[in-house]
Amino acid sequence: MCPYEKSLDEERKHRQKEFKDLEQLVNRILKLAQPRNEKEDLALFLGNVLLFIKRVEGFELSEDEKKYPSHSQFSHSTLTKGRDTVLGLKHRLGIIDRFNITNAHRIIQIIASTAVSTPIETLSRRQIRLILELHQEPLLRQQELAQRLSTSSTVIKRELDNLRRHFSFAVVHNVDFQKFKLLLVEIDFYTKSLAASERLAQFCRKTPPLFLRRICFDHDFRLGYLTYQIPDQPRGRRLLEDRIKWLKDEFFEDASKFPIRSMHIGISFDSYDLSSGAWMLGAETVAETMLQFALRETQDAVQFRSHRYGEALQFDQVDYLLAQTPIISGEKNRLEVCQKVLEQWGFELATKTIWKRDQKLREAGVYFPTVWFDIPELEELVQFSIECTPDARDRISRIPSILPYTYMVTSDDGLFFTFQRPSRCASITGLLTRLINREEGVSKVTLLRYEPSFSPQMFTQTASRWDSSRQRWVLQEGDI
């Protein structure tokens, strides 16, 4: 046998094994399906699915297989779409198996659901693998990534460039500001009126308190949140309470405070259909089943990268200013940015010295690097703020494991998570609201929806309040 024939024979054996594995998966789905009186109909449907896949992948059908009766929602002999449809069908079968979907009607709905139109930009299988590798280890070099993905550094560079160009891909510095004796606090609010919202927005734009990090309004301009990083010392906490009281008197009808203790980043492509470049969360039957599975499962369906904020360290103004460079965009570029910032504050340091100081901060756990990207067809960011018991918090924290990209933080009184909602998946928001509200131990759920944006900022001005010799923040009225 010549090498070419040998290669073809090996490929044929590989495809035969893949199809045999698929048959076993389908049999497993059929065995677990309920109710029993619908199993015959489901078997007919799944038989058509298998025969369609078999035909498209080049296997010869027997005369009996060619005459296999059609199902009303899937006909193996008349369906003409090819390889992309096969990939979509395999993906849906994998979802059904992984998330233990046993309802026969839902199984048929999920597989027979019409694929939505392909978006302009879609993620490839290699790009997904690349994102997931960097999610687990954000600082991997291109050569290491090439080895893991069994390709070349040139290909990795091209893929990363495409991800940056089309999906705003970046590796981001999240900073543990508790290392700098700062406490992150979110205040969720509902204003007294639209006029009150406008006055609050003007106040934050014109005279922003020094330690206010962000203000964000929901689309309706009544709900929103404020994020503070306050000095974690008696005067800082007292000034925050005074500020909240003033905000309530002036602007708020209702408000809740959440001191933040940890952060978690989750990325999942379980619901991404490679064949269509669309998210299956738009199909409510699929989304509800996956969410119910996540609530029942004792372990996350996807690995979160988590960081619990740690103990404060000894630092000076240079350390604090170095931590304000939020994006890792190449070591050289970052060092140049740091050098310019330090010069503005009167610190003349060589790049080599800056690098050594920055390395010490990394070793001390100041930085928590994560990846960021805009999912295909991103429509809006959705945030759920949930006040609940610790048990409910632990259960609900598993929900984001099926969502495309989730940023989640926890507090003593609950949690909140922000996720990127794809277009055509509007139903997932209402579904999550109902599901979370029904959970035992949940006292309040606040939903915010706002325009997607990613604009990391440098908050260097707060460095003026740090007294390095006394290792404490020296606050003034109005700082919070």
Side-chain angles (χ1 to χ4, degrees):
M1 182 182 293
C2 71
Y4 178 70
E5 290 176 332
K6 185 177 180 181
S7 176
L8 287 177
D9 186 57
E10 288 175 351
E11 182 184 348
R12 184 175 65 255
K13 288 179 179 178
H14 177 69
R15 290 192 297 112
Q16 287 174 339
K17 182 182 182 305
E18 276 193 340
F19 188 77
K20 186 175 181 180
D21 291 340
L22 187 66
E23 285 182 312
Q24 291 174 349
L25 185 149
V26 167
N27 288 333
R28 188 161 61 244
I29 291 171
L30 188 59
K31 182 179 179 180
L32 296 172
Q34 297 292 334
R36 288 179 177 274
N37 59 4
E38 293 186 18
K39 276 196 175 186
E40 186 176 343
D41 183 64
L42 179 61
L44 177 64
F45 178 86
L46 292 175
N48 272 270
V49 170
L50 280 175
L51 288 175
F52 171 76
I53 294 172
K54 189 174 182 179
R55 172 166 61 84
V56 171
E57 296 200 328
F59 296 105
E60 187 176 346
L61 300 186
S62 67
E63 289 303 315
D64 286 342
E65 286 176 330
K66 290 177 183 178
K67 297 175 183 177
Y68 191 83
S70 298
H71 188 275
S72 60
Q73 295 192 57
F74 197 102
S75 173
H76 80 91
S77 58
T78 59
L79 193 62
T80 57
K81 293 182 180 180
R83 184 63 186 167
D84 286 347
T85 302
V86 166
L87 290 173
L89 290 170
K90 287 182 176 180
H91 183 70
R92 285 164 169 77
L93 288 167
I95 287 285
I96 291 163
D97 183 54
R98 177 173 181 179
F99 290 94
N100 196 27
I101 300 170
T102 58
N103 182 277
H105 179 65
R106 283 194 174 186
I107 291 170
I108 292 174
Q109 276 189 313
I110 290 168
I111 297 175
S113 59
T114 304
V116 298
S117 60
T118 304
I120 296 174
E121 294 296 340
T122 62
L123 288 165
S124 68
R125 191 181 302 276
R126 180 188 285 145
Q127 287 173 331
I128 288 174
R129 285 188 61 198
L130 187 56
I131 290 171
L132 291 175
E133 288 287 351
L134 286 171
H135 171 54
Q136 294 301 327
E137 296 184 61
L139 302 182
L140 280 176
R141 297 184 182 276
Q142 289 186 16
Q143 187 175 357
E144 295 171 307
L145 286 167
Q147 290 175 350
R148 294 194 182 192
L149 272 65
S150 302
T151 186
S152 67
S153 295
T154 303
V155 171
I156 294 297
K157 182 181 183 304
R158 185 176 68 241
E159 294 287 25
L160 287 172
D161 287 343
N162 287 333
L163 286 170
R164 293 185 188 107
R165 185 180 305 114
H166 298 301
F167 303 107
S168 304
F169 184 85
V171 177
V172 181
H173 267 319
N174 293 283
V175 177
D176 183 345
F177 278 98
Q178 276 192 198
K179 299 284 187 182
F180 298 107
K181 298 188 177 181
L182 293 170
L183 176 64
L184 185 66
V185 179
E186 175 165 314
I187 301 165
D188 292 349
F189 62 77
Y190 183 68
T191 62
K192 296 176 181 180
S193 63
L194 289 174
S197 296
E198 184 59 44
R199 286 191 295 110
L200 175 61
Q202 288 179 0
F203 165 74
C204 291
R205 282 197 302 265
K206 292 180 179 179
T207 56
L210 200 61
F211 288 90
L212 175 66
R213 291 299 300 264
R214 191 179 187 195
I215 179 171
C216 184
F217 283 96
D218 179 76
H219 290 322
D220 69 1
F221 207 52
R222 295 285 303 279
L223 284 166
Y225 69 85
L226 295 161
T227 304
Y228 277 94
Q229 278 181 341
I230 64 164
D232 194 10
Q233 53 197 51
R235 180 167 167 76
R237 291 188 290 272
R238 186 172 69 252
L239 286 176
L240 179 65
E241 292 302 323
D242 291 344
R243 174 61 74 184
I244 293 174
K245 184 178 183 303
W246 178 78
L247 289 168
K248 285 181 176 179
D249 292 340
E250 291 289 324
F251 310 110
F252 298 162
E253 182 175 307
D254 188 30
S256 301
K257 181 183 72 173
F258 294 92
I260 306 307
R261 305 300 179 186
S262 63
M263 66 171 293
H264 316 265
I265 305 292
I267 295 176
S268 171
F269 291 97
D270 281 347
S271 60
Y272 187 66
D273 189 346
L274 274 166
S275 62
S276 64
W279 299 86
M280 295 171 63
L281 295 173
E284 192 160 344
T285 52
V286 181
E288 185 174 1
T289 301
M290 294 175 75
L291 287 167
Q292 292 286 0
F293 176 87
L295 279 171
R296 290 195 311 268
E297 196 67 12
T298 56
Q299 295 181 344
D300 289 340
V302 68
Q303 290 295 314
F304 280 86
R305 291 200 71 243
S306 302
H307 180 80
R308 185 164 184 83
Y309 297 135
E311 297 295 323
L313 48 76
Q314 290 271 330
F315 67 96
D316 59 18
Q317 284 187 332
V318 171
D319 294 323
Y320 184 71
L321 291 167
L322 286 177
Q324 294 292 340
T325 49
I327 296 183
I328 305 169
S329 54
E331 197 67 34
K332 183 178 179 181
N333 291 341
R334 184 165 186 275
L335 290 175
E336 289 174 353
V337 172
C338 289
Q339 191 174 45
K340 289 178 181 178
V341 170
L342 291 171
E343 286 174 356
Q344 292 170 2
W345 283 79
F347 299 106
E348 301 285 342
L349 275 69
T351 54
K352 186 175 181 180
T353 303
I354 294 172
W355 182 84
K356 287 181 178 179
R357 299 267 312 239
D358 197 52
Q359 285 299 114
K360 287 184 178 179
L361 293 178
R362 292 176 191 243
E363 291 167 5
V366 167
Y367 301 131
F368 177 56
T370 61
V371 299
W372 165 273
F373 69 102
D374 283 345
I375 64 168
E377 292 201 312
L378 169 62
E379 183 165 316
E380 65 179 1
L381 296 178
V382 178
Q383 177 175 302
F384 281 90
S385 298
I386 305 152
E387 296 180 42
C388 59
T389 62
D391 286 346
R393 181 189 62 206
D394 293 343
R395 291 194 304 276
I396 294 167
S397 67
R398 296 197 291 267
I399 287 177
S401 66
I402 74 158
L403 300 173
Y405 184 102
T406 311
Y407 172 85
M408 181 171 68
V409 295
T410 60
S411 71
D412 296 336
D413 302 315
L415 77 157
F416 56 89
F417 62 87
T418 301
F419 71 95
Q420 300 186 36
R421 184 181 71 77
S423 61
R424 307 190 184 109
C425 295
S427 61
I428 189 68
T429 306
L431 183 60
L432 278 167
T433 304
R434 295 194 301 272
L435 194 67
I436 294 170
N437 268 305
R438 288 200 298 262
E439 278 297 297
E440 184 179 352
V442 173
S443 55
K444 184 179 179 182
V445 179
T446 304
L447 169 66
L448 290 90
R449 298 158 302 167
Y450 47 96
E451 295 299 321
S453 65
F454 175 64
S455 55
Q457 302 175 52
M458 292 175 136
F459 293 88
T460 55
Q461 66 274 21
T462 50
S464 62
R465 297 293 190 264
W466 179 247
D467 185 336
S468 300
S469 61
R470 297 166 60 195
Q471 288 291 296
R472 63 180 291 110
W473 295 96
V474 181
L475 293 169
Q476 299 177 12
E477 291 295 330
D479 282 352
I480 293 176

